[in-house]
Amino acid sequence: MGRAMRWKLGLGALVTSLAMTMAAPAAEAQLAARGRPQHGAASLRQGFMPDPHILRGTMGGPVRASQVNSSCRGHITPNPSHVIRTRTGFRQIRFVVNGARDSTLLVMLPNGQVICDDDGGEGTHALISTSSPPGRIRVWVGSYSSSSTGQPYTLGVTELGHIAASNLPSPSGGAAPSRPPQASGLSPQMPPGFGRVALRSGFMPDPHVVSGVAGGPVSASSVSSSCRGHVTPQPSHVIQSPTGFRSIRFVVNSSTDTTLLVMLPNGNIVCDDDGGNGLNPLVATNSPPGAIRVWVGTYSGGRTGRYNLGISELSSVGTSNIPQPGQGGPQVVQPQQPTPPQQQANVVQMQAGIPVTLMGPGMTGTTIAVWDPRGGPSTRVQLNGRSLVAGGVTLGAVPPTMRDPVVTVTQRRNGSLVLRAEQPGSGRGDPGQAMLLLVRWAGRPTVANRWTGTARQRGPRWGR
């Protein structure tokens, strides 16, 4: 059976090509990508709770998925099984199937990119992990065999990297297993024991200090062999961030020997014991946007102890800057200005139709895209600060009103280039912003067209 596959396919071209099958037998019915979803829709944004979001339906249908692309597998309905509406898009979004029979998946992203999978999850279950721009994500849950059409499934939509088919409710309607094998004993979806905070890059005051009681019945080493101590099943704290962080530190100050377990929005787990002063832990990492879940544990089982947890973007903040429980506010020192280490640029050879991200929340280092224009030599495209530069020619700049933009560059099949800068809306009447540049080679990189609008607008045809 097949493996996960990606390719970009314009929605208009998809519908046109499938319309050619109208004269085929009934089993080769036409796809209706814009039709009403068969089994319901959902509106989700980065950091949605509860995670995973559960949808149900019956798999399969009269359309062969291979009509969309010869590499796709299974049988699907003309209309999508589900539509996920998102105003924020996702740095990582995963579609996990737990089906009564051998399942397949076809996912169409808002930009028209189509992704298929068969057996990417546990056993014969399908699983797709991807990123997505804002808009409508259309999902078809198929059956590998036409004889399995009509069998029930559970679909989990999640930002967590450890969620698998065995973590989802059974297709027959049962409850989800309480002990996920990839995070044994933890229940990341439970409400945090000591509260939730919302922080974005540049938050003040820094550090932000929260408090709680460390310790619990779960051995952290059952989650990862690199973890130490004993924690509660539910997170101690959840930090909700729409921006993510290029650098974020979690610093504990306690008179008890404590440990830290941090689960990032992409499911990655970072642990520490004694990384701060004395017996206090400290975790320094970066994070994409979404929910960061933090467990504060005790090194010895059966013990508990009060703690203060400092959350900081400053590299100078350590244990001594966080008050002990019951004392005053944090003692913040002035941040030092160390010389940043030289980082090797990530050079990406562009492929037609596949976007390369130059800037985005949580990204570190520099990404350089190599463009092969028609009639010109290979040309490097990158950001110099907020200026968009191709082959040494400055083409434009990301507007200063875009605080946390996502900047991508896509080589079109005709050799031209589309530069896109987008700031998603906040969801409070803010439609967001978008800027598009069409670049062609005319002896040198030249801006042939320009468009600005909101993140919700469709934009010109050349920018799709």
Side-chain angles (χ1 to χ4, degrees):
M1 298 184 184
R3 300 171 58 188
M5 300 153 283
R6 297 168 180 254
W7 63 94
K8 188 167 183 180
L9 185 60
L11 181 58
L14 173 65
V15 174
T16 300
S17 65
L18 290 177
M20 297 173 64
T21 67
M22 291 291 288
E28 303 293 333
Q30 184 180 13
L31 200 69
R34 298 183 184 274
R36 176 189 289 272
Q38 293 283 119
H39 303 297
S43 295
L44 301 175
R45 58 184 299 119
Q46 285 180 354
F48 62 85
M49 291 288 285
D51 183 339
H53 182 89
I54 301 298
L55 297 164
R56 298 178 186 273
T58 54
M59 65 176 64
V63 178
R64 294 183 184 275
S66 58
Q67 291 180 240
V68 181
N69 185 281
S70 60
S71 299
C72 288
R73 297 290 181 267
H75 303 262
I76 57 178
T77 54
N79 291 18
S81 304
H82 307 280
V83 173
I84 309 301
R85 297 181 291 267
T86 173
R87 292 184 178 181
T88 61
F90 298 99
R91 283 295 180 191
Q92 175 178 266
I93 190 71
R94 301 170 77 239
F95 302 91
V96 185
V97 178
N98 185 1
R101 295 290 187 273
D102 190 352
S103 61
T104 64
L105 267 176
L106 187 155
V107 172
M108 180 182 291
L109 301 179
N111 59 7
Q113 181 181 355
V114 172
I115 308 168
C116 285
D117 180 67
D118 171 37
D119 297 351
E122 298 173 323
T124 59
H125 298 299
L127 186 154
I128 284 176
S129 179
T130 184
S131 60
S132 175
R136 294 175 182 264
I137 306 173
R138 297 170 170 89
V139 181
W140 285 262
V141 181
S143 58
Y144 185 81
S145 170
S146 60
S147 63
S148 298
T149 294
Q151 293 293 323
Y153 66 81
T154 300
L155 175 69
V157 186
T158 179
E159 292 182 286
L160 302 177
H162 70 273
I163 297 297
S166 59
N167 306 133
L168 302 179
S170 71
S172 59
S178 60
R179 296 174 63 88
Q182 289 85 350
S184 179
L186 296 188
S187 298
Q189 296 78 35
M190 289 182 65
F194 303 103
R196 186 189 309 268
V197 295
L199 299 175
R200 59 186 302 124
S201 182
F203 63 85
M204 292 292 287
D206 184 337
H208 182 94
V209 178
V210 294
S211 303
V213 177
V218 179
S219 174
S221 61
S222 67
V223 180
S224 170
S225 59
S226 64
C227 297
R228 297 291 181 267
H230 301 265
V231 297
T232 55
Q234 72 271 31
S236 304
H237 307 275
V238 172
I239 293 84
Q240 193 71 49
S241 175
T243 61
F245 300 100
R246 293 183 183 273
S247 177
I248 190 71
R249 295 162 71 84
F250 301 92
V251 187
V252 173
N253 194 343
S254 174
S255 58
T256 305
D257 188 355
T258 51
T259 64
L260 267 175
L261 188 156
V262 177
M263 180 183 288
L264 302 176
N266 57 13
N268 291 343
I269 290 176
V270 187
C271 289
D272 183 66
D273 171 38
D274 299 348
N277 293 349
L279 301 177
N280 291 292
L282 187 156
V283 164
T285 184
N286 57 63
S287 175
I292 306 172
R293 295 166 170 87
V294 180
W295 285 259
V296 183
T298 54
Y299 185 83
S300 300
R303 297 197 61 184
T304 60
R306 297 176 60 200
Y307 65 83
N308 280 343
L309 172 69
I311 307 163
S312 176
E313 291 183 287
L314 304 177
S315 61
S316 58
V317 169
T319 306
S320 61
N321 307 121
I322 309 303
Q324 283 198 351
Q327 295 184 1
Q331 305 299 311
V332 180
V333 298
Q334 291 298 319
Q336 300 175 357
Q337 300 297 328
T339 302
Q342 296 295 319
Q343 293 182 322
Q344 186 175 3
N346 179 30
V347 180
V348 179
Q349 180 66 50
M350 300 185 71
Q351 301 181 42
I354 300 185
V356 175
T357 302
L358 302 182
M359 175 190 288
M363 289 183 62
T364 59
T366 301
T367 297
I368 298 173
V370 180
W371 170 40
D372 289 322
R374 183 171 295 177
S378 292
T379 303
R380 291 191 164 202
V381 183
Q382 65 188 101
L383 280 168
N384 184 2
R386 294 176 73 92
S387 297
L388 296 159
V389 179
V393 178
T394 300
L395 304 171
V398 179
T401 51
M402 294 188 183
R403 300 181 304 278
D404 303 295
V406 176
V407 180
T408 61
V409 57
T410 306
Q411 179 171 323
R412 305 175 75 205
R413 297 189 185 281
N414 63 6
S416 61
L417 197 69
V418 174
L419 290 161
R420 174 187 295 271
E422 186 171 87
Q423 174 75 53
S426 64
R428 300 177 180 176
D430 175 16
Q433 305 175 65
M435 180 188 77
L436 295 173
L437 299 178
L438 176 63
V439 181
R440 294 195 176 99
W441 184 267
R444 52 177 273 169
T446 304
V447 177
N449 215 330
R450 184 188 305 265
W451 179 87
T452 58
T454 71
R456 299 178 185 175
Q457 290 177 296
R458 185 172 175 82
R461 184 178 296 275
W462 52 261
R464 299 173 197 165

